[in-house]
Amino acid sequence: MASTENKDGTGLAKRIETWVRPAIREIGAYHVADATGLIKLDAMENPYGLPDAVRRGLIEGLGDVAVNRYPDPEAAGVRKSLAELYGVHSPMDMLFGNGSDELIQILALAVGGPGRVILSVEPAFVMYRMIATFTQSEYVGVPLKSDFSIDLDATLAAIEQHQPALIFLAQPNNPTGNLFDEAALKAIVETAQGLVILDEAYTAFTDSDCLAWASQYENVLVMRTLSKVGLAGLRFGMLFGHRDWIVQLNKVRMPYNINCMTQLAIELALENYLVFSAQCQQLREARTTLFNALVSMDIGTVYPSEANFILVRLAGGLSAPRVHQRMKAAGVLIKNLHGAHPLLENCLRLTVGKPEENQRMLHALQQGVGLTD
Ligand SMILES: Cc1ncc(COP(=O)(O)O)c(C=O)c1O
């Protein structure tokens, strides 16, 4: 661009200031760290690659995908397999998103908006707040207790006061990894007039299962994703609930949000779902090993986790940002959460990887905290 200053004195910066809403100008973009050359344990991905059968199926099938045509807007093949996998039948239905991120956006577009409140607990998955901002909804974050359990009195009071259109609760929670007390979740669902979204992004790593709540409570929808089980790159999230809710939400969904390559890959993956389940089981076992190793390092509080990551709060004068940097220098990328929320002071989030990656991570952590050179 030749100049940012126009004849009438309005430059690009001025135009941006005039036209981009202040709430958008004020926030930072969702940050994705560059992991080039590093062991990537910052984003709760499954470290195992595609099962061989899926890989072969993809190589054989991709060439025949009709990319000149728009994809099936209903993703019928995927829908059929998922209905079988999760036992979904009428009057329950499903809505698919380009990741559950998009489902959060669809919900906020359809149910949130100016003059409406979206509520969650804090700390929680950051997109709840960001998407509330994008959709001009008011966001209310009720702090968790210091042990990361729900402060039920404060949450019910906030629900009475703000009458939220939407409540998001992740079970288990990100970034803390704990499950919330089911009695507290029920009290929230029974108090709320609006929709409660139980976000089961980490369902593969816990025995907790709230899917049935979507049929038991008319104000509950359950959200899941294939990202954490090994398909993060495909971007595919699922929302389960009564078809009357799904019909309304579906109006806001972009018609072709699940592309044809993704549909093929997911159908193949679902045919081989047992392989992914077995990988998740391995990660659960690796989580226990990692947890015990972290506890024995005696570097602070290691929080028990029902997800594929572990939250650690460093003590004894150790600084999470500094340790994070040192681990990066040692070739391991994890997530520094210090500064993200007061309850996350000096916290690091470690994604569970393959056993050898976890060993490398532990070694880098030991170096980072100065236990070894
Ligand atoms: C609780 C929770 N919900 C939703 C998501 C988004 O998942 P997806 O990859 O399906 O957009 C995440 C991702 O980290 C998450 O932690």
Side-chain angles (χ1 to χ4, degrees):
M1 204 169 297
S3 159
T4 59
E5 200 60 34
N6 298 330
K7 284 196 194 94
D8 61 0
T10 59
L12 180 59
K14 180 74 189 151
R15 262 188 226 276
I16 288 172
E17 195 186 319
T18 307
W19 294 109
V20 178
R21 284 190 280 117
I24 304 299
R25 278 188 275 125
E26 276 160 23
I27 56 174
Y30 184 83
H31 176 67
V32 180
D34 180 9
T36 313
L38 302 173
I39 296 182
K40 190 172 183 326
L41 295 169
D42 65 328
M44 289 83 85
E45 292 144 329
N46 174 339
Y48 298 102
L50 275 180
D52 283 343
V54 181
R55 192 184 300 263
R56 278 197 305 273
L58 269 178
I59 291 167
E60 284 161 22
L62 276 180
D64 294 330
V65 173
V67 288
N68 54 324
R69 304 287 178 201
Y70 286 105
D72 171 4
E74 297 304 320
V78 173
R79 185 172 294 274
K80 189 165 171 291
S81 305
L82 283 172
E84 274 166 30
L85 182 66
Y86 293 122
V88 181
H89 36 78
S90 179
M92 303 310 288
D93 205 347
M94 291 173 281
L95 186 74
F96 302 145
N98 192 283
S100 33
D101 286 344
E102 193 195 29
L103 292 169
I104 300 168
Q105 189 183 51
I106 288 173
L107 284 158
L109 284 170
V111 182
R116 299 205 169 194
V117 168
I118 296 181
L119 183 144
S120 187
V121 291
E122 296 259 291
F125 181 44
V126 291
M127 290 312 287
Y128 304 151
R129 179 192 281 275
M130 287 184 79
I131 290 174
T133 304
F134 301 161
T135 56
Q136 293 181 277
S137 314
E138 188 191 329
Y139 180 80
V140 173
V142 184
L144 294 171
K145 292 186 178 173
S146 58
D147 64 354
F148 299 134
S149 63
I150 289 180
D151 185 339
L152 191 57
D153 289 344
T155 307
L156 295 185
I159 293 171
E160 296 286 0
Q161 185 190 343
H162 298 284
Q163 291 299 324
L166 264 176
I167 299 176
F168 286 102
L169 293 163
Q171 177 77 332
N173 189 38
N174 172 20
T176 56
N178 58 309
L179 284 175
F180 294 132
D181 178 31
E182 283 206 1
L185 292 182
K186 281 199 173 134
I188 291 170
V189 166
E190 285 164 11
T191 303
Q193 298 297 310
L195 256 180
V196 180
I197 312 303
L198 297 177
D199 180 349
E200 294 191 322
Y202 301 94
T203 185
F205 309 101
T206 177
D207 294 333
S208 163
D209 181 345
C210 292
L211 192 54
W213 293 33
S215 38
Q216 286 158 7
Y217 293 101
E218 68 179 30
N219 62 334
V220 170
L221 300 176
V222 173
M223 190 164 71
R224 292 186 175 177
T225 175
L226 294 182
S227 293
K228 315 298 171 185
V229 297
L231 301 168
L234 292 180
R235 311 302 300 127
F236 189 81
M238 303 152 273
L239 193 65
F240 302 87
H242 194 284
R243 67 164 168 256
D244 292 354
W245 281 117
I246 302 295
V247 164
Q248 297 302 323
L249 298 169
N250 196 33
K251 296 176 189 173
V252 180
R253 178 181 66 88
M254 291 296 140
Y256 305 114
N257 62 335
I258 311 297
N259 76 65
C260 48
M261 302 269 192
T262 293
Q263 292 189 28
L264 170 70
I266 290 176
E267 280 183 54
L268 289 166
L270 292 175
E271 281 168 23
N272 294 274
Y273 199 71
L274 287 178
V275 184
F276 292 94
S277 306
Q279 290 173 349
C280 293
Q281 186 53 39
Q282 267 175 277
L283 290 167
R284 284 175 77 160
E285 285 156 25
R287 174 179 70 199
T288 306
T289 311
L290 180 62
F291 180 85
N292 293 336
L294 288 165
V295 169
S296 68
M297 280 176 72
D298 199 19
I299 49 170
T301 310
V302 185
Y303 292 92
S305 169
E306 291 280 318
N308 62 342
F309 58 85
I310 296 179
L311 187 76
V312 180
R313 189 190 306 279
L314 300 179
L318 293 167
S319 146
R322 210 168 316 136
V323 172
H324 171 260
Q325 274 312 319
R326 286 193 192 147
M327 289 181 72
K328 203 170 161 187
V332 179
L333 185 65
I334 57 155
K335 180 84 176 172
N336 166 38
L337 289 168
H338 182 79
H341 188 274
L343 285 170
L344 296 172
E345 196 182 340
N346 239 357
C347 281
L348 297 171
R349 189 187 61 198
L350 318 178
T351 298
V352 181
K354 295 179 190 171
E356 59 272 26
E357 291 176 324
N358 297 336
Q359 277 308 321
R360 288 278 303 273
M361 174 164 63
L362 284 166
H363 188 65
L365 183 58
Q366 277 165 343
Q367 284 180 313
V369 300
L371 286 175
T372 55
D373 292 333

